[in-house]
Amino acid sequence: MTQMSRSAQPSHDGEFEFWRNHAQISLQPVAAPSILGLFGYAGATFVVATNLAGWYGDVGTQTFLFPFAALLGGLAQFLAGMWAYRARDGLATAMHGIWGAFWLAYGLLYLLIAIGVLVQPTPFVALGFWFAALAAITWSGAFAALAENIGLTLVLATLAAGSTCLAVGQIADISAWRTAGAYIFIASSVIAWYTATAMMLEGTFRRVILPIGKMRGPNVPGREPRQVIQFTAGEPGIKVGQ
């Protein structure tokens, strides 16, 4: 009796085959979110890091930089991270999301300093621990990016190295470490600009213009990518039904 009742029920494999054969898939095209995220990061980091490196302004100048950092580096990059989630890009989701949140927090911090709610301490040990946490997360991202391309790996590796230097400089109050971190951030912003430009050009020209050292796919200028940046398959956005 037990055997008969079991045989009368549809198997799990049969049920899977039924739904797979009767499913309808609705696809929605998504551009590469990292183009926006990397441009936002590059712009905010370059402007803030050049100030930290002493290229212009003084300590008070940072109060005029927080709107730019919060919106370009914060809001734009955070949105890119959320769109990367929809594009099923875990690395971009983590990196843009974390650094977008940092730039928003950085902007809020210096807004509170500018209006007199907070007084910036010297040394700024708490900010050093911010960078320590960011450095640990970004080193993980740099390792993961080795599976993607050299350009993104260099962006994250220099970003992690700069965060490490700034963490040491802020916590130990060593200006040389802070200056080194600022210059590494400048280098990271330039690499991010190049990488984002290469991705954008590949998406518009439908072929490689600037190589970024992809681990998979063509890297020679003029070659067509295996998959264009704006996915022709319409990833992601799946709707299943009868």
Side-chain angles (χ1 to χ4, degrees):
M1 182 112 181
T2 305
Q3 292 180 350
M4 291 179 61
S5 61
R6 286 180 178 175
S7 62
Q9 296 177 352
S11 65
H12 181 271
D13 292 339
E15 183 178 0
F16 174 78
E17 287 294 330
F18 172 82
W19 285 110
R20 185 172 66 177
N21 294 333
H22 291 78
Q24 294 179 352
I25 300 177
S26 175
L27 299 174
Q28 178 182 358
V30 175
S34 285
I35 297 175
L36 171 63
L38 287 172
F39 274 136
Y41 162 75
T45 302
F46 181 81
V47 171
V48 173
T50 49
N51 173 252
L52 293 176
W55 289 15
Y56 70 94
D58 51 28
V59 177
T61 305
Q62 293 186 0
T63 59
F64 297 97
L65 298 181
F66 74 80
F68 183 81
L71 294 178
L72 188 66
L75 181 61
Q77 201 172 357
F78 190 80
L79 288 174
M82 298 305 98
W83 287 322
Y85 170 80
R86 285 183 52 81
R88 302 176 188 175
D89 188 339
L91 175 61
T93 299
M95 295 300 101
H96 292 315
I98 289 295
W99 277 95
F102 163 75
W103 283 117
L104 288 170
Y106 183 89
L108 177 60
L109 172 66
Y110 279 95
L111 171 62
L112 295 175
I113 292 174
I115 63 178
V117 175
L118 296 177
V119 177
Q120 181 174 337
T122 304
F124 207 158
V125 177
L127 187 60
F129 280 98
W130 282 24
F131 281 113
L134 288 167
I137 296 169
T138 310
W139 280 120
S140 299
F143 180 74
L146 289 171
E148 296 291 336
N149 60 70
I150 296 175
L152 185 57
T153 302
L154 290 177
V155 171
L156 294 176
T158 51
L159 178 56
S163 299
T164 302
C165 291
L166 284 171
V168 174
Q170 294 291 359
I171 295 172
D173 194 21
I174 304 175
S175 60
W177 280 89
R178 290 195 294 267
T179 301
Y183 275 97
I184 296 173
F185 267 15
I186 293 171
S188 182
S189 68
V190 173
I191 299 170
W193 164 79
Y194 173 89
T195 304
T197 301
M199 296 173 66
M200 181 176 63
L201 293 177
E202 182 179 312
T204 54
F205 285 91
R206 298 293 190 268
R207 63 180 182 272
V208 177
I209 303 297
L210 299 174
I212 54 177
K214 291 182 181 179
M215 299 298 106
R216 299 179 297 272
N219 297 300
V220 180
R223 288 278 189 88
E224 292 186 2
R226 292 179 182 175
Q227 276 191 317
V228 295
I229 296 296
Q230 288 80 8
F231 302 107
T232 54
E235 287 282 1
I238 297 178
K239 180 180 180 181
V240 179
Q242 288 187 353

